[in-house]
Amino acid sequence: MTTYLVTGASGQLGQLVVDHLAKRVPTTDIIALVRSDDQAAVFAAKGIATRQGDYDNADSLTTAFKGVDRLLLISSSTVGERARQHGNVIDAAKTANVGFIAYTSILNAQNSPMALASEHKETETAIIASGLPHTFLRNGWYSENITMTLAQDIELGQHFGAAGTGKFATATRNDYAEAAAVVLAGGHDRKVLELAGDSAFTLDEYAATASSITGKPISYTNMPEKAFTQALVGAGLPEGFAAVLADSDAKAADGALFNDSKTLSTLIGRPTTKIDVTLKSIA
């Protein structure tokens, strides 16, 4: 019997990973790491066992990881605290003698110019230093990162960004979740996987696609990085997070979020979800 544990299991990505994993291994072998009884109840309804643990509580993690053979570390959503929190997970995994760890990193983590890559790079370095057998799932941009502003885009008739003519090779959260489940289930150990969508687009092309699907005129408005940051702040995002997103967009102008290896579709055994399909599902 092999025991699989998914951290961050109650998050948007984590829930999808657990669902995909349950199609590949017995549900009785899966453990979802949660932080509350309410979250545990959701998985109990699916027949999935849970353990409670928090990235900020190293002792809770060591206890939760006992007897776990294969662990998926889903990166924290707390930008600025990720490296420390992930360090707690890695230390606990080593203390608990976990046999394998997969980590959801970012595209081209070690060489990416994106500010967002810094903590992923630190985490990868820490995992390597731990000596734990591992695989890095270097996820590209989620389609949802772009489509989440669709309602606003329709209202304003514009999609704002700072990416110029840079191409985004996006895939859906579900695509990346399936890849994580495939790796956790086994057979892809000790690899660095650069994961991205099969087809790429510029934000000009995205706006044209969104306009065609919604029947509303939407154009792309390119902005300097600082101006885009302030626009995001004006839309209600915290300044630090807005700056990270604007930096990511600006770096995409130079190809930071483009990859044409098709490693993701090969891994999941099907084409990745095209951006027009994602748009149609929410329009």
Side-chain angles (χ1 to χ4, degrees), residues 17-138:
V17 172
V18 171
D19 288 345
H20 281 293
L21 187 62
K23 298 173 185 176
R24 290 170 168 78
V25 304
T27 55
T28 51
D29 295 347
I30 302 172
I31 300 169
L33 189 73
V34 298
R35 291 188 295 177
S36 71
D37 291 339
D38 287 345
Q39 293 170 352
V42 173
F43 289 103
K46 298 180 180 181
I48 303 291
T50 57
R51 292 180 185 173
Q52 292 202 13
D54 192 305
Y55 288 174
D56 286 315
N57 185 332
D59 290 340
S60 74
L61 296 171
T62 302
T63 300
F65 295 166
K66 287 180 180 177
V68 170
D69 299 298
R70 299 178 66 81
L71 182 150
L72 172 66
L73 168 54
I74 292 180
S75 60
S76 165
S77 59
T78 312
V79 176
E81 297 293 332
R82 284 172 159 174
R84 177 186 59 78
Q85 291 177 331
H86 297 167
N88 288 339
V89 174
I90 296 161
D91 290 344
K94 189 169 183 179
T95 300
N97 295 312
V98 169
F100 168 84
I101 184 169
Y103 171 60
T104 59
S105 188
I106 197 168
L107 199 63
N108 195 31
Q110 293 297 320
N111 300 307
S112 175
M114 293 167 55
L116 200 57
S118 175
E119 290 182 296
H120 290 296
K121 182 177 180 179
E122 286 184 63
T123 302
E124 287 191 3
T125 300
I127 290 173
I128 292 168
S130 75
L132 290 167
H134 59 271
T135 290
F136 295 143
L137 294 149
R138 289 184 174 169

Side-chain angles (χ1 to χ4, degrees), residues 11-278:
Q12 290 177 299
L13 181 66
Q15 291 182 59
L16 291 169
V17 172
V18 171
D19 288 345
H20 281 293
L21 187 62
K23 298 173 185 176
R24 290 170 168 78
V25 304
T27 55
T28 51
D29 295 347
I30 302 172
I31 300 169
L33 189 73
V34 298
R35 291 188 295 177
S36 71
D37 291 339
D38 287 345
Q39 293 170 352
V42 173
F43 289 103
K46 298 180 180 181
I48 303 291
T50 57
R51 292 180 185 173
Q52 292 202 13
D54 192 305
Y55 288 174
D56 286 315
N57 185 332
D59 290 340
S60 74
L61 296 171
T62 302
T63 300
F65 295 166
K66 287 180 180 177
V68 170
D69 299 298
R70 299 178 66 81
L71 182 150
L72 172 66
L73 168 54
I74 292 180
S75 60
S76 165
S77 59
T78 312
V79 176
E81 297 293 332
R82 284 172 159 174
R84 177 186 59 78
Q85 291 177 331
H86 297 167
N88 288 339
V89 174
I90 296 161
D91 290 344
K94 189 169 183 179
T95 300
N97 295 312
V98 169
F100 168 84
I101 184 169
Y103 171 60
T104 59
S105 188
I106 197 168
L107 199 63
N108 195 31
Q110 293 297 320
N111 300 307
S112 175
M114 293 167 55
L116 200 57
S118 175
E119 290 182 296
H120 290 296
K121 182 177 180 179
E122 286 184 63
T123 302
E124 287 191 3
T125 300
I127 290 173
I128 292 168
S130 75
L132 290 167
H134 59 271
T135 290
F136 295 143
L137 294 149
R138 289 184 174 169
N139 292 349
W141 218 230
Y142 291 10
S143 297
E144 292 88 347
N145 291 350
I146 298 176
T147 62
M148 66 180 178
T149 62
L150 181 61
Q152 177 184 304
D153 296 348
I154 291 171
E155 181 182 350
L156 299 176
Q158 298 177 82
H159 179 85
F160 296 97
T165 57
K167 288 193 171 184
F168 291 77
T170 71
T172 61
R173 184 176 286 108
N174 184 61
D175 292 336
Y176 292 117
E178 185 170 356
V182 168
V183 167
L184 190 58
H188 301 275
D189 294 10
R190 301 178 189 275
K191 292 184 179 180
V192 176
L193 302 168
E194 304 286 354
L195 305 178
D198 290 341
S199 50
F201 53 86
T202 66
L203 292 183
D204 262 324
E205 291 168 336
Y206 168 77
T209 300
S211 183
S212 175
I213 288 171
T214 63
K216 305 291 185 180
I218 301 171
S219 60
Y220 172 53
T221 299
N222 196 60
M223 308 172 74
E225 181 181 341
K226 288 185 179 179
F228 185 41
T229 301
Q230 292 309 307
L232 291 171
V233 170
L237 292 182
E239 188 159 359
F241 186 51
V244 167
L245 288 182
D247 169 84
S248 300
D249 232 46
K251 297 302 191 298
D254 298 319
L257 291 172
F258 174 75
N259 177 281
D260 60 359
S261 68
K262 293 185 171 53
T263 303
L264 176 54
S265 56
T266 300
L267 188 63
I268 62 179
R270 61 171 176 79
T272 58
T273 309
K274 292 183 178 181
I275 194 66
D276 61 329
V277 174
T278 302

